[in-house]
């Protein structure tokens, strides 16, 4: 078990000053988007903790744990005050933003059967005051803002290693997370889909060669409309799989040569967490 306490003090002492070339001070921007809010000296007393139980089993162990962790807003989320040529191009932090409180339940198992082993964990995370990057939904004013919502996240991760022979190994890993903004009943942006990899490895005294298949499922739970949500996702993304090959050769005890190729078949694919670029549509 463990206990953690954080004392946080935040202040923006120049929030009343207009930056050069800017017609509005940070405090004037905060007031527009957060009901007259001003950047004041802010104190937080954040308490977190962990309680975990582990139990040994034959050739492995299991565990279950509950935890509370608190994440304070960073400087961008709290104090950014970027004006724009139009109101919709503004990006304004929230000086009144509350810290996130994560309450997580997690369970897992590790088991080693000699030729193979498995490591599996599952979790549920209930978040009070999740710090959401969102949009200010008013006509001709779609500025980027931050606000607190409640959220739930569920997920799992697993890794399996299997020794096929003295020189051959098979490794498999997969992970998934489901995230929901429960205050607004919508998906949270920038959440990866189900994804993983399968790798075949050949290893002898001098050579290591690996063939790895990386893959991801489609991601259809998105927040891609800035008119109704955050618009941080560019859209739904299809599933994909690509093959990587690489190898390493030990020439002697001190020198090795590594070489390889990612995406051997030159397949076009889209990482969901990569946002689009204004310079490369």
């Amino acid at each position: 078990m463990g206990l953690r306490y954080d004392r946080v003090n935040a202040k923006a002492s120049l929030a009343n000053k207009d930056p050069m070339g800017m017609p509005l001070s940070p405090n004037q921007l905060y007031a527009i988007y957060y009901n007259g809010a001003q950047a004041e000296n802010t104190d937080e007393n954040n308490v977190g903790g962990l309680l975990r139980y582990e139990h040994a089993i034959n050739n492995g162990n299991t565990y279950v744990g509950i935890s509370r962790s608190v994440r304070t807003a960073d400087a961008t989320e709290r104090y950014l005050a970027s004006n724009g040529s139009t109101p919709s191009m503004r990006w304004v932090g929230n000086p009144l933003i509350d810290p996130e409180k994560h309450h997580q339940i997690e369970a897992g198992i590790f088991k080693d059967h000699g030729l193979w082993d498995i490591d599996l964990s599952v979790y549920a995370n209930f978040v009070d005051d999740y710090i959401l990057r969102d949009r200010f939904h008013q006509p001709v004013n779609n500025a980027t803002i931050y606000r607190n919502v409640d959220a739930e996240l569920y997920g799992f991760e697993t890794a399996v290693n299997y020794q096929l022979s003295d020189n051959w190994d098979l490794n498999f890993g997969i992970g998934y997370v489901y995230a929901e903004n429960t205050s607004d009943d919508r998906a949270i942006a920038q959440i990866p889909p189900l994804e993983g990899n399968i790798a075949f490895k050949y290893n002898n005294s001098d050579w290591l060669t690996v063939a790895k298949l990386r893959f991801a499922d489609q991601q259809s739970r998105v927040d891609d409309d800035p008119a109704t949500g955050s618009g941080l996702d560019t859209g739904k993304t299809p599933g994909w799989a690509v093959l990587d090959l690489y190898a390493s050769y030990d020439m002697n005890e001190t020198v090795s040569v590594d070489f390889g190729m990612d995406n051997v078949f030159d397949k076009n694919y889209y990482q969901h967490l990569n946002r689009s670029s204004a310079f490369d549509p």
Side-chain angles (χ1 to χ4, degrees):
M1 63 180 296
L3 187 67
R4 172 173 176 151
Y5 169 75
D6 291 280
R7 170 74 174 178
V8 180
N9 174 262
K11 62 182 178 180
S13 56
L14 302 179
N16 280 317
K17 293 186 176 296
D18 292 356
M20 185 177 297
M22 293 288 193
L24 296 174
S25 71
N27 270 336
Q28 288 173 314
L29 287 172
Y30 302 148
I32 293 172
Y33 297 101
Y34 305 109
N35 296 320
Q38 302 288 280
E40 299 177 351
N41 198 348
T42 301
D43 292 316
E44 293 177 3
N45 297 285
N46 299 331
V47 178
L50 167 69
L51 182 63
R52 177 177 168 124
Y53 172 75
E54 296 188 7
H55 177 67
I57 58 175
N58 188 29
N59 299 318
N61 69 287
T62 61
Y63 71 88
V64 61
I66 57 174
S67 66
R68 170 187 165 92
S69 59
V70 182
R71 185 184 79 83
T72 250
D74 64 26
T76 296
E77 294 162 336
R78 189 185 299 275
Y79 289 134
L80 181 68
S82 175
N83 208 342
S85 57
T86 66
S88 292
M89 295 180 67
R90 292 170 180 162
W91 188 351
V92 184
N94 183 352
L96 303 181
I97 200 81
D98 290 324
E100 294 179 350
K101 297 92 171 175
H102 295 254
H103 307 93
Q104 181 161 305
I105 304 170
E106 183 177 2
I109 183 171
F110 172 77
K111 198 164 180 63
D112 186 349
H113 282 273
L115 293 180
W116 66 274
D117 63 73
I118 182 171
D119 192 349
L120 170 66
S121 63
V122 297
Y123 68 88
N125 186 6
F126 305 94
V127 190
D128 295 331
D129 297 320
Y130 182 91
I131 298 173
L132 181 73
R133 178 176 162 182
D134 206 355
R135 292 281 190 164
F136 190 71
H137 299 132
Q138 282 194 359
V140 303
N141 192 345
N142 202 221
T144 297
I145 61 168
Y146 293 93
R147 63 188 183 93
N148 292 117
V149 298
D150 292 334
E152 295 180 2
L153 297 91
Y154 305 91
F156 71 86
E157 293 181 348
T158 186
V160 179
N161 303 297
Y162 187 78
Q163 185 176 348
L164 299 170
S165 68
D166 290 341
N167 301 113
W168 286 93
D169 293 305
L170 170 65
N171 307 125
F172 171 74
I174 195 168
Y176 176 70
V177 60
Y178 174 97
E180 178 80 1
N181 169 356
T182 56
S183 294
D184 303 319
D185 295 324
R186 71 179 194 230
I188 293 176
Q190 293 292 277
I191 299 296
L194 177 78
E195 57 185 2
N197 65 81
I198 304 172
F200 285 95
K201 297 182 179 180
Y202 174 79
N203 194 1
N204 64 19
S205 58
D206 298 323
W207 277 97
L208 169 66
T209 58
V210 181
K212 177 184 287 187
L213 181 72
R214 294 180 289 122
F215 60 88
D217 194 8
Q218 65 178 351
Q219 179 56 288
S220 57
R221 301 192 73 256
V222 295
D223 181 7
D224 60 352
D225 187 351
T228 58
S230 72
L232 290 177
D233 288 325
T234 57
K236 299 178 181 180
T237 51
W240 54 267
V242 296
L243 178 67
D244 303 334
L245 298 175
Y246 55 95
S248 176
Y249 177 68
D250 295 327
M251 301 181 66
N252 53 47
E253 292 183 354
T254 57
V255 178
S256 66
V257 178
D258 302 328
F259 51 94
M261 178 183 293
D262 290 340
N263 194 7
V264 172
F265 297 108
D266 196 25
K267 180 176 181 179
N268 290 329
Y269 66 100
Y270 191 104
Q271 286 275 13
H272 184 75
L273 296 191
N274 284 351
R275 284 187 43 74
S276 65
S277 166
F279 303 102
D280 181 10

